[in-house]
Amino acid sequence: MKTDDAALIERCRAGDIAAFEPLVEKYRQRVWRLAYNVVRDREEAWDVAQEAFVRAWQALPNFRGQSAFYTWLFRIVMNVAADRLRARSARGRAFGTERIPEEDWDRVLVDQPDDARPDAAAAGSEQRARIEKALATLSADHRRIVVLSDIEGLSYKEIAEVLEIPMGTVMSRLHNARKRLKAALGPLLVLLVALVALAAPLVVDAQQVVRFGARVLLATDKPPASTSLPMAPPEPDERLRAFLPRLRQLTGYREYTSLERYRAEVPIGSVQQWPVPGDRTLEVVPDRVSGDTVHMHVRLQRGAVNEVTTNIQAARGNPAVIGGPRYADGVLVIIVWANANPEPR
């Protein structure tokens, strides 16, 4: 175990919860990628990652340092992911993005066309389809070992620690899995690692900084009653006025009242949380950058309930529009803008 991990873990074991945050930031991308390559669902992978970190914090008093912290953490991730797969099988359908009940929506409010999904192009390719089909033929045990070895780069010994099986079993299963993939893919086998890794965001330089912000609006069919709002809202500014025609076209609502405005300039991977009317919390995580576009994970929570969970893309001059739950006389609408390459202020 690395010295810096050991020092943080000792502080955590002494009850210092702030010491756990650097561990989360350090392993967050790898945990999410590992979860995704098991459950194959972006939204569910976020939930698996979150639950795995919670379990890790709760179990830290029992961590004895006999293995590396990340192999111990990966074991927890695998267990959580396996639980999700079993639950998915029992329910007979895959989990998807968590959404609020349909009766709480009046209109579709997400400005996110199907062809804008980050993996849309790759998913449509013939090679990717063949690789996905070949991976699907593997048993869960063989697939986990392929992911840990060929995607995460763990050694036989580390894989044995994560899966709690003998090292000989790891070697045997990996050999059989690769043999089966080679029979199914032939020359395409050399593309396996690269194309599977494309399904999950690569770890980005933690020093890359992006600027982004959110505006929370109340969308209504007529001007809201002043008694329904906690305080007098500000008048729409010039930027919002210019955007109103697009909002009306997207949502069908005519009136928009600005409730909150937020801005942040943080490194990729940082978690930003802001309060939203109705005792809610808006969480925005800039996940990666491609060109001028920032890919972000957005979650709107009310207590322990996730009312909205989605992945979005936003660029300078092209914000994302997200529909939220009912509030006061209408529904909440969240506009998220981003600048992938901000100039120093």
Side-chain angles (χ1 to χ4, degrees):
M1 183 171 58
K2 296 181 179 179
T3 304
D4 54 349
D5 284 0
L8 290 170
I9 289 168
E10 284 305 312
R11 288 172 54 192
C12 290
R13 287 162 61 88
D16 183 1
I17 193 171
F20 194 60
E21 294 179 8
L23 292 171
V24 173
E25 289 301 315
K26 180 176 181 179
Y27 293 107
R28 173 180 164 275
Q29 288 276 0
R30 293 186 71 185
V31 164
W32 184 88
R33 186 171 60 190
L34 178 61
Y36 174 80
N37 278 307
V38 175
V39 300
R40 309 304 292 175
D41 182 281
R42 292 176 180 271
E43 301 302 328
E44 192 170 2
W46 280 101
D47 291 337
V48 169
Q50 182 176 355
E51 184 176 345
F53 278 120
V54 171
R55 288 193 189 182
W57 167 257
Q58 294 171 339
L60 267 177
N62 299 321
F63 179 66
R64 298 290 178 253
Q66 296 175 342
S67 63
F69 173 73
Y70 66 86
T71 59
W72 178 79
L73 177 62
F74 283 5
R75 186 187 312 153
I76 294 174
V77 176
M78 283 297 194
N79 289 337
V80 174
D83 290 344
R84 292 299 184 106
L85 290 179
R86 281 192 291 269
R88 177 191 296 179
S89 177
R91 291 172 60 178
R93 63 180 179 85
F95 288 90
T97 301
E98 294 182 75
R99 292 183 173 86
I100 60 174
E102 291 184 1
E103 59 266 26
D104 288 345
W105 288 78
D106 282 354
R107 300 165 176 84
V108 176
L109 300 176
V110 180
D111 179 23
Q112 196 74 357
D114 289 342
D115 58 3
R117 293 196 307 268
D119 60 338
S125 71
E126 182 180 353
Q127 289 181 341
R128 176 61 179 275
R130 285 185 60 189
I131 289 175
E132 291 286 352
K133 185 176 180 179
L135 286 170
T137 66
L138 298 179
S139 68
D141 289 338
H142 286 87
R143 185 187 179 98
R144 290 187 188 105
I145 287 181
V146 168
V147 168
L148 289 170
S149 173
D150 296 341
I151 306 301
E152 294 302 328
L154 270 62
S155 67
Y156 292 147
K157 182 176 183 295
E158 290 172 330
I159 295 172
E161 291 174 354
V162 170
L163 299 180
E164 298 181 286
I165 58 177
M167 191 160 63
T169 303
V170 171
M171 298 170 68
S172 174
R173 288 181 182 175
L174 185 58
H175 172 76
N176 291 334
R178 286 173 174 167
K179 184 177 179 180
R180 188 164 185 171
L181 288 173
K182 184 176 181 180
L185 296 174
L188 279 181
L189 181 60
V190 297
L191 297 177
L192 173 64
V193 175
L195 290 181
V196 171
L198 283 176
L202 299 177
V203 177
V204 185
D205 182 0
Q207 298 304 310
Q208 183 171 3
V209 173
V210 295
R211 184 181 300 159
F212 62 94
R215 185 190 290 255
V216 182
L217 306 175
L218 174 63
T220 56
D221 288 317
K222 58 184 180 180
S226 59
T227 55
S228 66
L229 300 177
M231 62 183 67
E235 291 294 322
D237 55 58
E238 184 177 346
R239 180 176 293 183
L240 178 57
R241 285 196 185 95
F243 197 62
L244 285 179
R246 182 180 175 189
L247 276 177
R248 289 176 177 135
Q249 183 181 21
L250 287 170
T251 71
Y253 287 99
R254 291 202 52 79
E255 301 293 333
Y256 296 88
T257 305
S258 183
L259 301 179
E260 301 285 357
R261 294 179 65 181
Y262 299 107
R263 178 179 297 175
E265 188 166 331
V266 296
I268 287 292
S270 300
V271 179
Q272 192 70 39
Q273 292 185 327
W274 294 307
V276 171
D279 296 322
R280 296 175 169 91
T281 300
L282 175 64
E283 179 181 284
V284 182
V285 183
D287 190 61
R288 61 190 175 100
V289 171
S290 57
D292 294 329
T293 301
V294 181
H295 300 254
M296 294 180 279
H297 180 72
V298 178
R299 188 190 302 264
L300 183 66
Q301 294 178 296
R302 187 173 190 178
V305 177
N306 292 324
E307 293 184 308
V308 175
T309 305
T310 187
N311 290 317
I312 64 169
Q313 301 174 55
R316 193 168 187 173
N318 187 24
V321 179
I322 305 167
R326 282 191 170 279
Y327 176 72
D329 299 329
V331 297
L332 295 176
V333 174
I334 302 168
I335 303 174
V336 180
W337 58 268
N339 185 349
N341 303 290
E343 297 179 0
R345 293 182 175 179

PDB file of all heavy atoms in Angstrom, residues 108-121 246 250 310-313 318-321:
ATOM      1  N   VAL A 108     -41.795  16.911 -21.912  1.00  0.00           N
ATOM      2  CA  VAL A 108     -40.404  16.474 -21.979  1.00  0.00           C
ATOM      3  C   VAL A 108     -39.526  17.710 -22.048  1.00  0.00           C
ATOM      4  O   VAL A 108     -39.739  18.582 -22.878  1.00  0.00           O
ATOM      5  CB  VAL A 108     -40.169  15.591 -23.222  1.00  0.00           C
ATOM      6  CG1 VAL A 108     -38.703  15.216 -23.329  1.00  0.00           C
ATOM      7  CG2 VAL A 108     -41.019  14.333 -23.138  1.00  0.00           C
ATOM      8  N   LEU A 109     -38.532  17.778 -21.146  1.00  0.00           N
ATOM      9  CA  LEU A 109     -37.775  19.019 -21.025  1.00  0.00           C
ATOM     10  C   LEU A 109     -36.281  18.839 -21.228  1.00  0.00           C
ATOM     11  O   LEU A 109     -35.507  19.704 -20.873  1.00  0.00           O
ATOM     12  CB  LEU A 109     -37.994  19.620 -19.624  1.00  0.00           C
ATOM     13  CG  LEU A 109     -39.429  19.971 -19.258  1.00  0.00           C
ATOM     14  CD1 LEU A 109     -39.475  20.464 -17.825  1.00  0.00           C
ATOM     15  CD2 LEU A 109     -39.960  21.037 -20.184  1.00  0.00           C
ATOM     16  N   VAL A 110     -35.837  17.728 -21.774  1.00  0.00           N
ATOM     17  CA  VAL A 110     -34.405  17.492 -21.906  1.00  0.00           C
ATOM     18  C   VAL A 110     -33.966  17.758 -23.335  1.00  0.00           C
ATOM     19  O   VAL A 110     -34.441  17.127 -24.267  1.00  0.00           O
ATOM     20  CB  VAL A 110     -34.033  16.051 -21.505  1.00  0.00           C
ATOM     21  CG1 VAL A 110     -32.544  15.825 -21.649  1.00  0.00           C
ATOM     22  CG2 VAL A 110     -34.456  15.793 -20.069  1.00  0.00           C
ATOM     23  N   ASP A 111     -33.068  18.709 -23.494  1.00  0.00           N
ATOM     24  CA  ASP A 111     -32.543  19.069 -24.805  1.00  0.00           C
ATOM     25  C   ASP A 111     -31.326  18.205 -25.087  1.00  0.00           C
ATOM     26  O   ASP A 111     -30.198  18.655 -25.039  1.00  0.00           O
ATOM     27  CB  ASP A 111     -32.157  20.552 -24.811  1.00  0.00           C
ATOM     28  CG  ASP A 111     -31.582  20.997 -26.144  1.00  0.00           C
ATOM     29  OD1 ASP A 111     -31.863  20.334 -27.146  1.00  0.00           O
ATOM     30  OD2 ASP A 111     -30.852  22.005 -26.164  1.00  0.00           O
ATOM     31  N   GLN A 112     -31.555  16.927 -25.356  1.00  0.00           N
ATOM     32  CA  GLN A 112     -30.443  15.989 -25.507  1.00  0.00           C
ATOM     33  C   GLN A 112     -30.839  14.937 -26.538  1.00  0.00           C
ATOM     34  O   GLN A 112     -31.344  13.878 -26.213  1.00  0.00           O
ATOM     35  CB  GLN A 112     -30.140  15.325 -24.162  1.00  0.00           C
ATOM     36  CG  GLN A 112     -28.806  14.640 -24.091  1.00  0.00           C
ATOM     37  CD  GLN A 112     -27.673  15.618 -23.989  1.00  0.00           C
ATOM     38  OE1 GLN A 112     -27.826  16.819 -24.029  1.00  0.00           O
ATOM     39  NE2 GLN A 112     -26.497  15.093 -23.872  1.00  0.00           N
ATOM     40  N   PRO A 113     -30.647  15.202 -27.845  1.00  0.00           N
ATOM     41  CA  PRO A 113     -31.052  14.253 -28.874  1.00  0.00           C
ATOM     42  C   PRO A 113     -30.295  12.946 -28.761  1.00  0.00           C
ATOM     43  O   PRO A 113     -29.180  12.894 -28.256  1.00  0.00           O
ATOM     44  CB  PRO A 113     -30.705  14.979 -30.185  1.00  0.00           C
ATOM     45  CG  PRO A 113     -29.662  15.977 -29.803  1.00  0.00           C
ATOM     46  CD  PRO A 113     -29.995  16.389 -28.394  1.00  0.00           C
ATOM     47  N   ASP A 114     -30.919  11.870 -29.274  1.00  0.00           N
ATOM     48  CA  ASP A 114     -30.324  10.545 -29.149  1.00  0.00           C
ATOM     49  C   ASP A 114     -28.942  10.471 -29.764  1.00  0.00           C
ATOM     50  O   ASP A 114     -28.055   9.802 -29.256  1.00  0.00           O
ATOM     51  CB  ASP A 114     -31.228   9.499 -29.818  1.00  0.00           C
ATOM     52  CG  ASP A 114     -32.496   9.277 -29.010  1.00  0.00           C
ATOM     53  OD1 ASP A 114     -32.499   9.641 -27.824  1.00  0.00           O
ATOM     54  OD2 ASP A 114     -33.468   8.752 -29.577  1.00  0.00           O
ATOM     55  N   ASP A 115     -28.738  11.158 -30.905  1.00  0.00           N
ATOM     56  CA  ASP A 115     -27.451  11.030 -31.566  1.00  0.00           C
ATOM     57  C   ASP A 115     -26.365  11.848 -30.899  1.00  0.00           C
ATOM     58  O   ASP A 115     -25.224  11.869 -31.354  1.00  0.00           O
ATOM     59  CB  ASP A 115     -27.562  11.425 -33.044  1.00  0.00           C
ATOM     60  CG  ASP A 115     -28.067  12.859 -33.216  1.00  0.00           C
ATOM     61  OD1 ASP A 115     -28.275  13.539 -32.196  1.00  0.00           O
ATOM     62  OD2 ASP A 115     -28.250  13.276 -34.373  1.00  0.00           O
ATOM     63  N   ALA A 116     -26.699  12.541 -29.773  1.00  0.00           N
ATOM     64  CA  ALA A 116     -25.680  13.310 -29.059  1.00  0.00           C
ATOM     65  C   ALA A 116     -25.028  12.509 -27.955  1.00  0.00           C
ATOM     66  O   ALA A 116     -24.157  12.991 -27.272  1.00  0.00           O
ATOM     67  CB  ALA A 116     -26.299  14.575 -28.461  1.00  0.00           C
ATOM     68  N   ARG A 117     -25.480  11.262 -27.734  1.00  0.00           N
ATOM     69  CA  ARG A 117     -24.882  10.464 -26.681  1.00  0.00           C
ATOM     70  C   ARG A 117     -23.418  10.226 -26.990  1.00  0.00           C
ATOM     71  O   ARG A 117     -23.050   9.970 -28.138  1.00  0.00           O
ATOM     72  CB  ARG A 117     -25.606   9.124 -26.534  1.00  0.00           C
ATOM     73  CG  ARG A 117     -27.021   9.265 -26.026  1.00  0.00           C
ATOM     74  CD  ARG A 117     -27.519   7.914 -25.532  1.00  0.00           C
ATOM     75  NE  ARG A 117     -27.361   6.882 -26.533  1.00  0.00           N
ATOM     76  CZ  ARG A 117     -28.300   6.559 -27.411  1.00  0.00           C
ATOM     77  NH1 ARG A 117     -29.443   7.202 -27.419  1.00  0.00           N
ATOM     78  NH2 ARG A 117     -28.090   5.592 -28.293  1.00  0.00           N
ATOM     79  N   PRO A 118     -22.534  10.256 -25.956  1.00  0.00           N
ATOM     80  CA  PRO A 118     -21.100  10.132 -26.194  1.00  0.00           C
ATOM     81  C   PRO A 118     -20.716   8.862 -26.930  1.00  0.00           C
ATOM     82  O   PRO A 118     -19.754   8.847 -27.679  1.00  0.00           O
ATOM     83  CB  PRO A 118     -20.512  10.147 -24.779  1.00  0.00           C
ATOM     84  CG  PRO A 118     -21.523  10.855 -23.953  1.00  0.00           C
ATOM     85  CD  PRO A 118     -22.848  10.517 -24.554  1.00  0.00           C
ATOM     86  N   ASP A 119     -21.470   7.775 -26.714  1.00  0.00           N
ATOM     87  CA  ASP A 119     -21.056   6.517 -27.329  1.00  0.00           C
ATOM     88  C   ASP A 119     -21.901   6.159 -28.544  1.00  0.00           C
ATOM     89  O   ASP A 119     -21.864   5.023 -29.007  1.00  0.00           O
ATOM     90  CB  ASP A 119     -21.138   5.390 -26.301  1.00  0.00           C
ATOM     91  CG  ASP A 119     -22.547   5.205 -25.774  1.00  0.00           C
ATOM     92  OD1 ASP A 119     -23.334   6.154 -25.868  1.00  0.00           O
ATOM     93  OD2 ASP A 119     -22.845   4.117 -25.272  1.00  0.00           O
ATOM     94  N   ALA A 120     -22.681   7.118 -29.080  1.00  0.00           N
ATOM     95  CA  ALA A 120     -23.596   6.774 -30.158  1.00  0.00           C
ATOM     96  C   ALA A 120     -22.859   6.284 -31.398  1.00  0.00           C
ATOM     97  O   ALA A 120     -23.250   5.294 -32.014  1.00  0.00           O
ATOM     98  CB  ALA A 120     -24.464   7.984 -30.512  1.00  0.00           C
ATOM     99  N   ALA A 121     -21.782   6.987 -31.785  1.00  0.00           N
ATOM    100  CA  ALA A 121     -21.071   6.605 -32.998  1.00  0.00           C
ATOM    101  C   ALA A 121     -20.408   5.247 -32.845  1.00  0.00           C
ATOM    102  O   ALA A 121     -20.489   4.392 -33.733  1.00  0.00           O
ATOM    103  CB  ALA A 121     -20.030   7.672 -33.342  1.00  0.00           C
ATOM    104  N   ARG A 246     -35.820  29.853 -27.429  1.00  0.00           N
ATOM    105  CA  ARG A 246     -35.426  28.445 -27.512  1.00  0.00           C
ATOM    106  C   ARG A 246     -36.073  27.637 -26.390  1.00  0.00           C
ATOM    107  O   ARG A 246     -36.531  26.515 -26.600  1.00  0.00           O
ATOM    108  CB  ARG A 246     -33.907  28.326 -27.437  1.00  0.00           C
ATOM    109  CG  ARG A 246     -33.416  26.889 -27.570  1.00  0.00           C
ATOM    110  CD  ARG A 246     -31.912  26.817 -27.495  1.00  0.00           C
ATOM    111  NE  ARG A 246     -31.444  25.439 -27.504  1.00  0.00           N
ATOM    112  CZ  ARG A 246     -30.199  25.075 -27.288  1.00  0.00           C
ATOM    113  NH1 ARG A 246     -29.282  25.999 -27.036  1.00  0.00           N
ATOM    114  NH2 ARG A 246     -29.841  23.806 -27.310  1.00  0.00           N
ATOM    115  N   LEU A 250     -38.559  24.435 -26.756  1.00  0.00           N
ATOM    116  CA  LEU A 250     -38.203  23.139 -26.183  1.00  0.00           C
ATOM    117  C   LEU A 250     -39.259  22.609 -25.225  1.00  0.00           C
ATOM    118  O   LEU A 250     -39.579  21.417 -25.233  1.00  0.00           O
ATOM    119  CB  LEU A 250     -36.863  23.239 -25.442  1.00  0.00           C
ATOM    120  CG  LEU A 250     -35.595  23.349 -26.284  1.00  0.00           C
ATOM    121  CD1 LEU A 250     -34.408  23.674 -25.388  1.00  0.00           C
ATOM    122  CD2 LEU A 250     -35.349  22.054 -27.037  1.00  0.00           C
ATOM    123  N   THR A 310     -28.644  12.307 -14.862  1.00  0.00           N
ATOM    124  CA  THR A 310     -28.415  12.260 -16.299  1.00  0.00           C
ATOM    125  C   THR A 310     -26.993  12.672 -16.635  1.00  0.00           C
ATOM    126  O   THR A 310     -26.318  13.338 -15.843  1.00  0.00           O
ATOM    127  CB  THR A 310     -29.414  13.173 -17.041  1.00  0.00           C
ATOM    128  OG1 THR A 310     -29.285  12.986 -18.450  1.00  0.00           O
ATOM    129  CG2 THR A 310     -29.167  14.641 -16.718  1.00  0.00           C
ATOM    130  N   ASN A 311     -26.529  12.270 -17.806  1.00  0.00           N
ATOM    131  CA  ASN A 311     -25.262  12.737 -18.360  1.00  0.00           C
ATOM    132  C   ASN A 311     -25.567  13.750 -19.453  1.00  0.00           C
ATOM    133  O   ASN A 311     -26.459  13.523 -20.285  1.00  0.00           O
ATOM    134  CB  ASN A 311     -24.462  11.571 -18.951  1.00  0.00           C
ATOM    135  CG  ASN A 311     -23.943  10.640 -17.880  1.00  0.00           C
ATOM    136  OD1 ASN A 311     -23.454  11.094 -16.853  1.00  0.00           O
ATOM    137  ND2 ASN A 311     -24.056   9.345 -18.102  1.00  0.00           N
ATOM    138  N   ILE A 312     -24.852  14.851 -19.469  1.00  0.00           N
ATOM    139  CA  ILE A 312     -25.106  15.903 -20.447  1.00  0.00           C
ATOM    140  C   ILE A 312     -23.809  16.329 -21.114  1.00  0.00           C
ATOM    141  O   ILE A 312     -22.714  15.997 -20.649  1.00  0.00           O
ATOM    142  CB  ILE A 312     -25.764  17.139 -19.799  1.00  0.00           C
ATOM    143  CG1 ILE A 312     -24.809  17.778 -18.780  1.00  0.00           C
ATOM    144  CG2 ILE A 312     -27.102  16.781 -19.168  1.00  0.00           C
ATOM    145  CD1 ILE A 312     -25.259  19.144 -18.294  1.00  0.00           C
ATOM    146  N   GLN A 313     -23.959  17.080 -22.196  1.00  0.00           N
ATOM    147  CA  GLN A 313     -22.839  17.725 -22.860  1.00  0.00           C
ATOM    148  C   GLN A 313     -23.173  19.203 -22.992  1.00  0.00           C
ATOM    149  O   GLN A 313     -24.296  19.553 -23.349  1.00  0.00           O
ATOM    150  CB  GLN A 313     -22.618  17.138 -24.248  1.00  0.00           C
ATOM    151  CG  GLN A 313     -22.346  15.648 -24.266  1.00  0.00           C
ATOM    152  CD  GLN A 313     -22.286  15.120 -25.683  1.00  0.00           C
ATOM    153  OE1 GLN A 313     -21.527  15.613 -26.508  1.00  0.00           O
ATOM    154  NE2 GLN A 313     -23.097  14.123 -25.979  1.00  0.00           N
ATOM    155  N   ASN A 318     -23.611  26.750 -26.307  1.00  0.00           N
ATOM    156  CA  ASN A 318     -24.542  25.642 -26.525  1.00  0.00           C
ATOM    157  C   ASN A 318     -24.805  24.930 -25.200  1.00  0.00           C
ATOM    158  O   ASN A 318     -24.294  23.842 -24.945  1.00  0.00           O
ATOM    159  CB  ASN A 318     -23.965  24.660 -27.550  1.00  0.00           C
ATOM    160  CG  ASN A 318     -24.975  23.596 -27.935  1.00  0.00           C
ATOM    161  OD1 ASN A 318     -26.184  23.792 -27.823  1.00  0.00           O
ATOM    162  ND2 ASN A 318     -24.483  22.456 -28.390  1.00  0.00           N
ATOM    163  N   PRO A 319     -25.605  25.541 -24.324  1.00  0.00           N
ATOM    164  CA  PRO A 319     -25.869  24.941 -23.014  1.00  0.00           C
ATOM    165  C   PRO A 319     -26.811  23.748 -23.113  1.00  0.00           C
ATOM    166  O   PRO A 319     -27.475  23.544 -24.131  1.00  0.00           O
ATOM    167  CB  PRO A 319     -26.517  26.088 -22.236  1.00  0.00           C
ATOM    168  CG  PRO A 319     -27.191  26.907 -23.290  1.00  0.00           C
ATOM    169  CD  PRO A 319     -26.294  26.828 -24.498  1.00  0.00           C
ATOM    170  N   ALA A 320     -26.849  22.970 -22.046  1.00  0.00           N
ATOM    171  CA  ALA A 320     -27.790  21.852 -21.943  1.00  0.00           C
ATOM    172  C   ALA A 320     -28.985  22.296 -21.112  1.00  0.00           C
ATOM    173  O   ALA A 320     -28.840  23.057 -20.153  1.00  0.00           O
ATOM    174  CB  ALA A 320     -27.118  20.651 -21.291  1.00  0.00           C
ATOM    175  N   VAL A 321     -30.163  21.823 -21.476  1.00  0.00           N
ATOM    176  CA  VAL A 321     -31.393  22.159 -20.763  1.00  0.00           C
ATOM    177  C   VAL A 321     -31.961  20.878 -20.166  1.00  0.00           C
ATOM    178  O   VAL A 321     -32.169  19.895 -20.875  1.00  0.00           O
ATOM    179  CB  VAL A 321     -32.422  22.812 -21.702  1.00  0.00           C
ATOM    180  CG1 VAL A 321     -33.706  23.133 -20.942  1.00  0.00           C
ATOM    181  CG2 VAL A 321     -31.842  24.070 -22.336  1.00  0.00           C
TER     182      VAL A 321
END
